[in-house]
Amino acid sequence: PLLDWKIGLFLWRTCGSFLLLVATATIIPGRLHGLAGRTLRWPILATTYVMILAELIVYVLVRLFVRVAEATFTTRKHRRLRGDMECATSYDGWYNLAKELDISQERDAWRNTVGDDTACRYNWAFIEELISDMKIARKRGDFLMAMTVLQQCTRKN
């Protein structure tokens, strides 16, 4: 947020009077209103498309980097488990493969430790209550209750 403020301040200091003139010309009806709309339509459209294209390129580059990093640093067993997870036909099968992958990557160590700083901030009772409420909502087919439970999940623990 601070960086956005600095960019805005920089733009205002460098071309503030031009921005004020353009804003005034587009707001006040008359000959300038139509002229400003016709004149600024294509630069604004081009700028928007260039920004979308830049974001798309950055997204593709990040995805490629992640794919290369995963291919470089993962073991055969982990690649096999991930492939099996992608081809799983049921949730139970996917869940068992995910659990096996977590165990092989030692990502389940947090479950067994209660002495670190994060264990005291993790509200186990609240999580178990949410899970039981969600099961009840699913069993009853109560969409409103399910939505309420999910809203509770989005707040800080």
Side-chain angles (χ1 to χ4, degrees), residues 21-98:
L21 177 70
V22 167
T24 306
T26 56
I27 293 172
I28 298 174
R31 286 185 4 202
L32 286 178
H33 180 73
L35 179 65
R38 285 191 303 274
T39 307
L40 295 176
R41 177 185 309 153
W42 298 114
I44 290 174
L45 189 65
T47 303
T48 303
Y49 284 144
V50 165
M51 290 174 63
I52 291 172
L53 181 66
E55 287 182 5
L56 178 66
I57 290 171
V58 169
Y59 172 77
V60 168
L61 289 175
V62 167
R63 291 302 308 151
L64 285 173
F65 175 75
V66 168
R67 179 71 77 162
V68 168
E70 284 179 350
T72 304
F73 297 112
T74 58
T75 63
R76 267 191 205 145
K77 180 181 179 183
H78 296 159
R79 280 194 294 268
R80 182 186 57 78
L81 285 170
R82 285 188 190 272
D84 291 347
M85 283 173 61
E86 288 178 10
C87 297
T89 57
S90 68
Y91 175 74
D92 292 329
W94 179 89
Y95 183 78
N96 291 330
L97 289 168

Side-chain angles (χ1 to χ4, degrees), residues 115-133:
D116 63 348
D117 291 340
T118 59
C120 64
R121 290 182 289 190
Y122 194 75
N123 192 347
W124 292 95
F126 179 68
I127 299 299
E128 288 175 358
E129 182 181 341
L130 286 175
I131 291 171
S132 70
D133 288 345

Side-chain angles (χ1 to χ4, degrees), residues 3 9 12 17-18 69 75 82 86 131 141 147-148:
L3 184 62
L9 184 65
W12 180 253
S17 59
F18 177 71
T75 63
R82 285 188 190 272
E86 288 178 10
I131 291 171
M147 187 173 64
T148 305

